[in-house]
Amino acid sequence: MLYRFIDLFAGIGGIRTAFEPYGECVFSCEWDVKAQETYEANFGHKPVGDIRTVNEKEIPDHDILLAGFPCQPFSIAGVSKKKSLGRKHGFLDETQGTLFFDIARIIKEKQPQAFLLENVKNLRSHDKGNTFKVIKKVLEDLGYTVYSEVINARGLVPQNRERIYIVGFKKPLKFEFPIIPKEGPPLHTILEENVEEKYTLSDKLWNYLQAYKEKHAKKGNGFGYGLADLNSYSRTLSARYYKDGSEILIPQGEGKNPRKLTPRECARLQGFPDSFKIVVSNTAAYKQFGNSVAVPVVSLIAERVVQAIERDELLEEKLEEGRTCDKIIRSV
């Protein structure tokens, strides 16, 4: 069976790439203009812009909602006060003004069979846990059985990258997240053979980064550049990589300064195929891949989501903590 899905906060389409084997994307939304360019070059259509202006009633019907949404602060602290004043409260009020609100209103209107949301690991602890508490409550109040897990991608790509994945089903379906290997491919497997000299750090920048690290080391801080072990995995690729590449530097042997990853290597580090088109400037590409998901992780989750829908096995008992199942895979 093929499934209709929508791609919200789509970025450059990493989550979509993972779900494409299972169906058709019928709607996408992404506000960043440069990301829209990359998305259109690879998928043949330009995403809608600001999700806040999208009428949920006009979104096509779909089976699965996908969203790599930004984390914004909100709290349920004001609910009791609103009750005392006789004012309405609920998911619309609790999340108003946040981008998660837009996901909630679309889910409420379209009632997809399932959803997958992705965010930074720290979503769990943000605002002393209140942010995640609201998110779970909202999704459960909308009638969904919710599972969440923090997964490290480094067993599939050579990068230490922890993200939280939230899966929900309209039916109380049995679901288990995939087991990710602890050890994955080494960093040297994603490197290009011939790299232009422009990616090598200048003497000025390299001297600055070394001095900066030394200064903080004397204070007992771990700030500074990261010289990667080519036989292991890298630090987390971030959207700021375009600035100086300091979190992941590639050694080039004695007498030569280290270099930055190329945009294509960043794409590989996130698990994108080499057929994925990079049509923007290096600066924009670094930001886009730094903000993206690790595609192989989402691919395994996508497979499990589809399997759960097709098996249609219902939970026999209520899950602990309402209808939510949480699990954390910690770094080792």
Side-chain angles (χ1 to χ4, degrees):
M1 178 178 175
L2 294 180
Y3 297 88
R4 291 162 60 88
F5 61 88
I6 66 171
D7 193 13
L8 308 178
F9 306 100
I12 56 174
I15 298 179
R16 171 175 177 161
T17 298
F19 273 84
E20 286 223 305
Y22 304 104
E24 174 191 8
C25 182
V26 296
F27 178 83
S28 61
C29 188
E30 168 57 44
W31 71 275
D32 184 87
V33 174
K34 288 296 181 182
Q36 288 178 347
E37 288 181 27
T38 299
Y39 197 100
E40 185 174 17
N42 284 280
F43 301 108
H45 70 267
K46 184 178 178 180
V48 172
D50 191 343
I51 193 171
R52 294 170 296 181
T53 66
V54 173
N55 184 337
E56 62 270 23
K57 296 182 185 299
E58 295 177 0
I59 292 177
D61 291 340
H62 53 276
D63 303 296
I64 304 172
L65 178 146
L66 311 174
F69 70 103
C71 173
Q72 290 176 288
F74 50 87
S75 171
I76 59 173
V79 172
S80 59
K81 182 178 179 181
K82 287 164 187 160
K83 281 183 178 178
S84 67
L85 296 173
R87 291 169 57 187
K88 290 184 178 180
H89 65 92
F91 90 90
L92 290 178
D93 200 46
E94 291 168 14
T95 63
Q96 184 73 55
T98 73
L99 293 173
F100 177 73
F101 163 81
D102 296 288
I103 295 173
R105 65 182 174 86
I106 292 168
I107 290 176
K108 184 182 182 185
E109 173 65 30
K110 306 308 293 189
Q111 297 287 302
Q113 291 186 54
F115 59 74
L116 169 62
L117 312 181
E118 179 267 353
N119 209 294
V120 296
K121 172 190 175 182
N122 290 340
L123 178 68
R124 261 187 203 281
S125 56
H126 186 270
D127 191 21
K128 299 179 180 179
N130 284 328
T131 298
F132 192 57
K133 182 179 179 182
V134 173
I135 288 172
K136 291 197 302 181
K137 181 179 182 295
V138 167
L139 296 171
E140 290 163 4
D141 286 351
L142 288 171
Y144 285 79
T145 299
V146 181
Y147 300 81
S148 66
E149 186 159 314
V150 173
I151 296 177
N152 196 327
R154 76 169 186 232
L156 298 173
V157 294
Q159 176 191 181
N160 187 57
R161 191 178 193 86
E162 291 183 293
R163 291 293 185 270
I164 187 168
Y165 298 90
I166 306 169
V167 170
F169 298 97
K170 189 63 180 169
K171 289 183 177 182
L173 297 179
K174 290 182 180 179
F175 174 79
E176 290 187 1
F177 281 95
I179 297 173
I180 307 298
K182 290 184 178 180
E183 299 297 329
L187 185 59
H188 69 78
T189 61
I190 61 100
L191 299 181
E192 295 189 87
E193 289 187 11
N194 300 306
V195 176
E196 296 178 59
E197 282 297 314
K198 68 180 182 179
Y199 294 103
T200 296
L201 300 191
S202 66
D203 290 340
K204 181 179 180 182
L205 178 55
W206 181 225
N207 290 334
Y208 166 78
L209 290 176
Q210 291 179 94
Y212 181 82
K213 186 169 187 174
E214 184 179 354
K215 180 180 72 172
H216 281 282
K218 289 178 180 178
K219 297 178 181 179
N221 299 325
F223 301 127
Y225 65 87
L227 200 59
D229 179 349
L230 302 189
N231 293 312
S232 185
Y233 53 85
S234 74
R235 292 181 179 181
T236 302
L237 180 68
S238 73
R240 70 167 298 283
Y241 191 75
Y242 74 94
K243 292 183 177 181
D244 54 24
S246 61
E247 65 254 43
I248 307 173
L249 293 176
I250 304 302
Q252 299 192 95
E254 290 294 327
K256 191 167 186 180
N257 296 345
R259 68 171 179 86
K260 295 168 64 173
L261 293 167
T262 68
R264 177 57 64 192
E265 289 169 339
C266 290
R268 292 174 178 175
L269 197 60
Q270 293 284 44
F272 284 88
D274 281 356
S275 58
F276 191 85
K277 300 172 185 174
I278 302 173
V279 296
V280 293
S281 68
N282 281 3
T283 296
Y286 284 134
K287 289 180 182 178
Q288 289 172 11
F289 290 117
N291 278 326
S292 183
V293 296
V295 177
V297 174
V298 185
S299 293
L300 291 183
I301 296 173
E303 181 181 32
R304 291 294 184 96
V305 168
V306 170
Q307 287 174 348
I309 293 172
E310 295 184 349
R311 280 198 306 263
D312 201 29
E313 293 181 17
L314 303 183
L315 291 169
E316 296 175 2
E317 300 176 3
K318 285 188 176 180
L319 296 172
E320 295 178 6
E321 295 186 57
R323 302 177 68 196
T324 306
C325 179
D326 300 319
K327 182 180 176 184
I328 299 179
I329 291 183
R330 301 188 184 279
S331 297
V332 291

